Amino acid sequence: MSRQILISQILTQTRMVYLNNQTVEKLSLQYADDIRLGDIYLSVITRILPDLQAIFVDIGLAKMAFLEIAESTDLQRFYTGQRILVQVQKDAISSKSIKVTMLLSLTGRYFLYLPNNEGQSKELIIRFSHKITKKSIKNNLKQKILSLSNLSIKGTLIIRTQAQDANQKDLINELIYLSEIWQSILQKKPQYKKPALLYQQIPIFLQEIHEVESDANIFIDDQLIYNQVIDFANKFFYNFVPNIHYYPHKNLFEQFGVEKYFNHILNHRVDLPSGGFLMIEQTEAMTVIDVNSGSKTKDILNIYQKINIEAIYTIFYELLLRKIGGIIVIDLINMKSNNHKKEILNLLEYKATTDKINTQITYVEKADIAILLRQRQQDTLNNYLSQTCPTCQGSGKVKSAKTIAFEIIQKILEKPMHDQNYQQINIDASLAVIQYLQESQLLSQLNLQSQLSPTLQARADYLPEQYTLKFL
């Protein structure tokens, strides 16, 4: 079993792990109420932005969705209040809006179906995946499709690579399925005057049937999901049914040793085999990865080169695992040898070309910095699984106990002298702040300057920056 897909369900949460030769290649997570890439909405135009050649549309959510219009399209054909069909193209990443498109598509295992859009031919247009190169295979597949005269499908049909090995029954079933989805959308559209979800993309565990390799095995720990996957495979990929297994025992991920990866992707630090390590910092604008050498060694030049090479392989693995895209800045360890720099540049270019996600790379040789532009359609798993820290507000740092202690003393001294109609000052703060006040000379200095002797109270429930001053 070289390829394995593990599917675990906890109430409305679905998690998936993809293994290839016992190496975790991909993690996925989805909640039942998530907005999914591929969802189709009836939307209402709320704002037209001619300078940006874009439109904001209401799809029924709290935040408007962003629709980019092709430069060849005349914006004057649109107006505020107009109802149009749109499809979710990109998740809401950080503070950005969901990105939608008017070029609707329905994805199956064997076909990518683009229904009729305005300006397209009303006849069926057949195209092929660029991976299908043999003319004989193309002609054979095309004849199979055209022979299905009873299917009134219009628009564009892109035949995917998997269709080469499919039997006629599977092809027919999928064409009927995709056609029925589109007809259902058209029937629902007149029923709504307000924004509405007309089609929800199938959940991730069914999407996997579209992409799964024929030699893979799927293990599922939930009976209901297992039944759904079996039914779906029976309809579109009958030969794969024996590869789907129900795993009724608890702790599926623990049994396969992969549960730890959902915690791993939240860690900033990733250790390298030769003693170096990566520090991965994600911000809204970009991701910065710092390559560190770790402990010192005598053979500095060669070990630095070895760590840089390990870092590049590890970085591209982590980018895939964590679903990191956008701008990625990699600060490599400084290299003095031109041969070393050339080797690193060649490796970066190789990894960029073999990356499953479209990636462009720029190398700043003088600073040993690589800048990656990596396509992203959804937020990182780190952001998906976590939230901004209420204490540091996402900065990753809080004020030190020393800083807070001086802040408290300052507030006491700022109390107007003529307003000193109090007999006692109580300071409630975190344990670290109280310890600093007790161990430093601040309180004795305060007493000398103002004859004040506050009472201290350590509070285990206080956050690092939290404190209370009471003048009694």
Side-chain angles (χ1 to χ4, degrees), residues 400-415:
S400 66
K402 183 177 182 179
T403 300
I404 296 297
F406 273 92
E407 192 174 297
I408 291 171
I409 298 299
Q410 180 183 352
K411 291 229 168 147
I412 293 173
L413 293 174
E414 284 177 350
K415 190 79 170 172

Side-chain angles (χ1 to χ4, degrees), residues 221-411:
D221 67 3
D222 182 85
Q223 182 72 60
L224 180 60
I225 288 183
Y226 170 77
N227 293 340
Q228 287 181 268
V229 173
I230 287 289
D231 290 344
F232 200 75
N234 266 321
K235 189 178 293 185
F236 305 117
F237 193 16
Y238 178 77
N239 293 336
F240 187 71
V241 171
N243 295 34
I244 304 169
H245 312 279
Y246 177 50
Y247 191 91
H249 313 290
K250 292 183 178 180
N251 302 322
L252 171 65
F253 286 0
E254 290 288 356
Q255 291 294 323
F256 281 83
V258 298
E259 183 68 53
K260 61 186 177 183
Y261 284 89
F262 283 92
N263 290 320
H264 166 81
I265 58 175
L266 298 176
N267 293 334
H268 293 281
R269 175 170 171 149
V270 178
D271 290 328
L272 301 173
S274 295
F277 61 93
L278 307 177
M279 290 301 297
I280 303 174
E281 299 292 339
Q282 296 180 45
T283 69
E284 185 172 342
M286 67 179 71
T287 299
V288 179
I289 303 177
D290 187 25
V291 183
N292 295 272
S293 61
S295 58
K296 293 183 179 180
T297 178
K298 292 181 180 180
D299 190 12
I300 291 177
L301 292 180
N302 287 328
I303 195 64
Y304 280 6
Q305 183 68 353
K306 188 175 182 180
I307 289 172
N308 276 337
I309 291 171
E310 291 173 355
I312 292 170
Y313 279 102
T314 304
I315 285 168
F316 276 88
Y317 174 72
E318 292 293 331
L319 295 180
L320 187 66
L321 201 64
R322 299 170 187 238
K323 301 186 189 301
I324 296 176
I327 302 172
I328 300 148
V329 178
I330 304 171
D331 186 4
L332 295 157
I333 300 174
N334 290 339
M335 296 169 284
K336 294 182 179 180
S337 166
N338 289 330
N339 289 335
H340 282 180
K341 291 186 178 185
K342 187 176 180 180
E343 183 182 5
I344 291 299
L345 179 57
N346 289 339
L347 180 58
L348 282 167
E349 290 175 344
Y350 167 74
K351 293 301 293 181
T353 55
T354 57
D355 192 2
K356 294 181 179 180
I357 307 297
N358 183 25
T359 303
Q360 300 175 28
I361 187 164
T362 301
Y363 182 53
V364 184
E365 187 175 343
K366 290 184 178 180
D368 291 318
I369 288 176
I371 302 172
L372 275 59
L373 297 178
R374 195 168 188 266
Q375 185 181 14
R376 61 177 177 178
Q377 289 185 312
Q378 53 193 142
D379 212 347
T380 65
L381 277 178
N382 187 300
N383 288 342
Y384 193 66
L385 291 169
S386 59
Q387 63 182 28
T388 302
C389 171
T391 303
C392 71
Q393 296 300 314
S395 70
K397 295 183 178 182
V398 294
K399 293 178 183 178
S400 66
K402 183 177 182 179
T403 300
I404 296 297
F406 273 92
E407 192 174 297
I408 291 171
I409 298 299
Q410 180 183 352
K411 291 229 168 147

Side-chain angles (χ1 to χ4, degrees), residues 101-126:
T101 178
M102 291 174 61
L103 300 174
L104 310 182
S105 63
L106 300 171
T107 304
R109 177 171 176 81
Y110 309 114
F111 305 105
L112 177 65
Y113 177 41
L114 285 70
N116 259 350
N117 291 297
E118 189 173 338
Q120 289 187 340
S121 169
K122 293 185 179 180
E123 301 300 323
L124 180 63
I125 300 171
I126 297 177

